[in-house]
Amino acid sequence: MAEENKEEQQEGAIATTSKVSEWLNQNNFAHESLGPDHQGVPMIKVERDYLIPIATALYAYGFTYMMCQCGYDDGPGSALVSCYHLAKIDDNADRPEEVRVKVFLPREDPTCPSVYWIWKSADWQERETYDMYGIVYEGHPNLKRILMPEDWVGWPMRKDYVTPDFYELQDAY
């Protein structure tokens, strides 16, 4: 009986995609809709090879404001994720249209093209993601550590990171 109810619910469920995802589909941009997040902002998954063409298209579509770029670790042995929160700011907009773009990267090769040349605000944000998670943003003009010392070993925000027992602080003078 429970299986029949599940099947009925699945049949009755309406698959909804966001306006942005529909626009990307109409223009033949390969992506996967991940549905809305907890705030109702649509999320899309993009392969790293298609990030720059899709980011450029989203910019041309009106997403000229990158609210945030960040990274996170999906768990030990899982993917590292580079996430972009974009907004479309229009005149007299009470609530701007938003979208989150996520790029899932393998731990063995966490490289991703930089969007610095599309949104200049990605500069320090990509550097911070590099510094904390080790995601290498190819094409970034100044990709180096921003929070940790240059000689720090490892990526402190990864879930499999082992904190060193001792780190010698250097004299500031």
Side-chain angles (χ1 to χ4, degrees), residues 90-146:
D90 294 328
D91 291 339
N92 302 320
D94 291 342
R95 176 142 171 92
E97 187 177 352
E98 299 174 51
V99 66
R100 291 185 204 269
V101 178
K102 294 186 176 191
V103 182
F104 291 79
L105 305 164
R107 288 180 109 70
E108 307 78 44
D109 180 27
T111 59
C112 185
S114 174
V115 297
Y116 170 80
W117 305 104
I118 301 168
W119 297 284
K120 297 292 188 214
S121 59
D123 184 9
W124 285 24
Q125 295 177 50
E126 286 182 345
R127 285 181 60 192
E128 182 179 358
T129 302
Y130 163 73
D131 197 6
M132 296 288 106
Y133 295 97
I135 297 173
V136 177
Y137 291 95
E138 295 174 332
H140 190 283
N142 189 24
L143 191 64
K144 63 180 183 177
R145 290 199 181 263
I146 192 169

Side-chain angles (χ1 to χ4, degrees), residues 26-84:
Q26 289 170 357
N27 290 285
N28 299 319
F29 287 104
H31 73 286
E32 179 184 335
S33 179
L34 300 174
D37 68 2
H38 67 285
Q39 295 177 326
V41 176
M43 298 182 296
I44 61 171
K45 177 181 176 182
V46 173
E47 295 297 323
R48 67 177 152 190
D49 294 338
Y50 303 118
L51 176 62
I52 296 300
I54 289 176
T56 305
L58 289 172
Y59 187 90
Y61 182 67
F63 288 96
T64 56
Y65 177 50
M66 186 177 78
M67 298 170 70
C68 177
Q69 185 284 324
C70 64
Y72 67 89
D73 187 343
D74 237 5
S78 296
L80 298 171
V81 183
S82 184
C83 183
Y84 308 85

